[in-house]
Amino acid sequence: MASMCSSVSNSSRFLASKPSSSSSCRSKSNLSTIRCAIGEIISEAKVSSSTEPLLLSAVKGEKVERPPVWLMRQAGRYMKSYQLICEKYPSFRERSENVDLVVEISLQPWKVFKPDGVILFSDILTPLPGMNIPFDIVKGKGPIIYDPLRTAEDVSKIREFVPEEFVPYVGEALTTLRAEVKNEAAVLGFVGAPFTLASYVVEGGSSKHFSKIKRMAFSQPEVLHALLQKFTTSMAQYIKYQADHGAQAVQIFDSWATELSPADFEEFSLPYLKQIVDSVKSTHPNLPLILYASGSGGLLERLSLTGVDVVSLDWTVDMAEGRRRLGADVAVQGNVDPGVLFGSKDFITKRINDTVNKAGNHKHILNLGHGIVVGTPEENVAHFFEVAKGIRY
Ligand code: CP3
């Protein structure tokens, strides 16, 4: 084995090499070959004979041969093939609302890296126009909400979101993705959490200090609660819609919840997340829900109180400590620093092994601690997937 490949197993009790004959993955099912970046065979991977994607088995706590792996923001941004589509279709709204483009962009990383999760190309803000809140995403500026909501009257104008009516392209794209991916990976949907969506529509876009939503929270809490309730009802519906059209797991992004103190999180985020989880579980008890909040080290125990199946950790939390704090019932996702993908291949390998060792051999989805950063070399992303898929517990 070439040094580049053998370095995969260094310092790890998990082997990114041929599984031993006693390994549980050594079944009589089809075997496919995994090659490392320089083309050598580094392992034989089982193409599961079960119809269930590895990611779903891992979330349930079933015995799996390796952690499933996908990357937040794997669709779009850093891929040259995506940038070419952007040149042809400069509007983010168009790229994310046209079924063919959504499917094509979602499948770009699937075709190159074969991750275990294929996330829909969309945005957490996509439902907003259907709720009577127009937005755009402007290059260099990020999301813009044209008429930020500030008063009870503004909130009363928000329509309940009916996905079938306002985002039929999302359902169509998910259904097509399921057919394309054929259970070789899990098709992943996602939504924004009520507080994070509220922060965009009240601030008018991205924010540094979140002063406008905090002004609302701390001077007119009843207005914010009314807004959060509208997003809660609508996002629960949206998750169910995504599941009914092909999503096999759904990630809830509460990216900005960590701007709240723990006590304020308990008032303005936790009850709404819990309501969403309860509502979805009442109709879709087997749909795995993943919760991500960046910078959530101070909130971990509270995140698991939401009842989600998986908590996605950012890289500022030590994986072993996060595991301990969350307890055995919850699966974990994460949590390699996205900046590691700018490092050397050996360093990337080392950090993957470190994370997998700390997470233990079950209920772990390997991922980054946040989205891939623009400018990440695609060959390093390829290396990440090769190493990850060569791991054997
Ligand atoms: O993960 C994926 O590959 C699926 C696609 C996806 C996008 N946005 C596409 C997108 C996902 C999962 C999101 C979620 C999202 N959107 C979040 C939560 C995740 C997180 O990062 O915490 C948030 C907060 C948003 C809101 C949003 N959308 C911002 C802040 C920005 C601007 C950031 C930037 O890079 O300029 C967007 C735009 C956006 N959404 C882009 C993409 C690929 C970049 C713009 C483009 O490609 O034209």
Side-chain angles (χ1 to χ4, degrees):
M1 206 184 282
S3 61
M4 190 173 172
C5 299
S6 56
S7 66
V8 162
S9 58
N10 284 350
S11 77
S12 174
R13 60 192 167 89
F14 303 124
L15 299 178
S17 60
K18 289 193 182 192
S20 75
S21 54
S22 61
S23 159
S24 63
C25 66
R26 206 75 172 142
S27 75
K28 290 207 168 69
S29 60
N30 301 334
L31 293 173
S32 76
T33 302
I34 293 179
R35 287 171 193 277
C36 79
I38 56 170
E40 286 212 18
I41 296 172
I42 55 170
S43 70
E44 290 176 313
K46 187 178 72 165
V47 176
S48 176
S49 53
S50 97
T51 51
E52 182 166 87
L54 185 68
L55 188 145
L56 301 184
S57 307
V59 171
K60 285 193 225 157
E62 288 171 7
K63 198 165 163 42
V64 285
E65 61 194 16
R66 63 170 173 87
V69 56
W70 70 283
L71 303 182
M72 285 188 268
R73 292 195 200 146
Q74 73 188 13
R77 291 187 172 91
Y78 65 100
M79 288 185 83
K80 180 87 182 102
S81 51
Y82 174 71
Q83 284 145 20
L84 291 174
I85 290 188
C86 293
E87 279 170 24
K88 206 160 160 205
Y89 304 94
S91 154
F92 180 86
R93 291 280 309 266
E94 181 177 6
R95 291 196 296 280
S96 57
E97 295 177 20
N98 169 305
V99 180
D100 293 341
L101 292 176
V102 170
V103 169
E104 187 180 345
I105 297 169
S106 307
L107 289 177
Q108 284 177 337
W110 165 245
K111 287 180 177 156
V112 182
F113 308 119
K114 286 278 149 44
D116 296 299
V118 175
I119 190 161
L120 174 79
F121 181 75
S122 185
D123 200 86
I124 60 168
L125 306 180
T126 298
L128 295 185
M131 301 182 73
N132 208 16
I133 310 171
F135 84 100
D136 206 349
I137 289 183
V138 178
K139 206 172 172 200
K141 273 193 160 171
I144 306 279
I145 310 296
Y146 294 113
D147 298 306
L149 308 185
R150 301 284 156 73
T151 64
E153 207 201 330
D154 294 340
V155 173
S156 72
K157 289 186 191 143
I158 295 181
R159 270 198 305 252
E160 192 184 320
F161 182 54
V162 183
E164 295 79 354
E165 200 176 316
F166 295 110
V167 294
Y169 50 86
V170 168
E172 270 183 61
L174 285 168
T175 305
T176 309
L177 287 174
R178 267 299 285 281
E180 291 280 336
V181 172
K182 297 191 199 78
N183 267 346
E184 288 167 33
V187 170
L188 308 174
F190 68 94
V191 300
F195 180 78
T196 291
L197 292 174
S199 79
Y200 279 105
V201 304
V202 173
E203 296 289 333
S206 300
S207 177
K208 197 156 176 223
H209 299 297
F210 294 83
S211 51
K212 299 185 182 76
I213 191 161
K214 290 198 178 175
R215 178 184 296 135
M216 185 183 275
F218 304 146
S219 66
Q220 298 174 279
E222 65 293 348
V223 177
L224 182 55
H225 280 300
L227 177 59
L228 293 167
Q229 187 55 55
K230 289 202 169 187
F231 281 134
T232 298
T233 309
S234 294
M235 290 310 114
Q237 282 306 111
Y238 193 27
I239 292 175
K240 294 176 190 189
Y241 169 84
Q242 293 186 21
D244 291 342
H245 287 79
Q248 290 159 294
V250 174
Q251 179 150 332
I252 304 170
F253 285 98
D254 206 352
S255 304
W256 308 130
T258 49
E259 291 293 326
L260 294 168
S261 70
D264 294 326
F265 176 80
E266 285 178 3
E267 178 170 355
F268 296 108
S269 182
L270 181 58
Y272 297 101
L273 289 168
K274 201 164 174 334
Q275 217 188 106
I276 290 177
V277 175
D278 289 347
S279 170
V280 173
K281 295 284 175 192
S282 72
T283 53
H284 297 67
N286 299 321
L287 178 77
L289 293 174
I290 308 169
L291 176 60
Y292 176 79
S294 69
S296 61
L299 292 175
L300 280 194
E301 292 79 0
R302 289 173 179 84
L303 294 187
S304 64
L305 294 178
T306 57
V308 292
D309 305 274
V310 186
V311 172
S312 192
L313 303 177
D314 74 81
W315 70 96
T316 63
V317 178
D318 178 83
M319 178 52 90
E321 274 173 38
R323 228 343 167 197
R324 265 197 303 279
R325 286 174 58 194
L326 287 165
D329 290 344
V330 186
V332 288
Q333 178 171 271
N335 72 343
V336 177
D337 176 355
V340 165
L341 290 177
F342 289 93
S344 68
K345 293 204 170 63
D346 279 351
F347 189 76
I348 295 169
T349 302
K350 197 167 156 290
R351 283 300 170 86
I352 292 172
N353 284 330
D354 190 44
T355 303
V356 173
N357 272 320
K358 285 180 169 170
N361 64 1
H362 76 303
K363 284 198 169 207
H364 175 221
I365 303 170
L366 180 62
N367 204 318
L368 300 176
H370 203 165
I372 309 179
V373 176
V374 177
T376 301
E378 283 182 63
E379 60 168 307
N380 286 0
V381 178
H383 181 74
F384 188 97
F385 279 110
E386 280 157 10
V387 171
K389 295 183 79 175
I391 287 171
R392 292 295 176 270
Y393 284 138

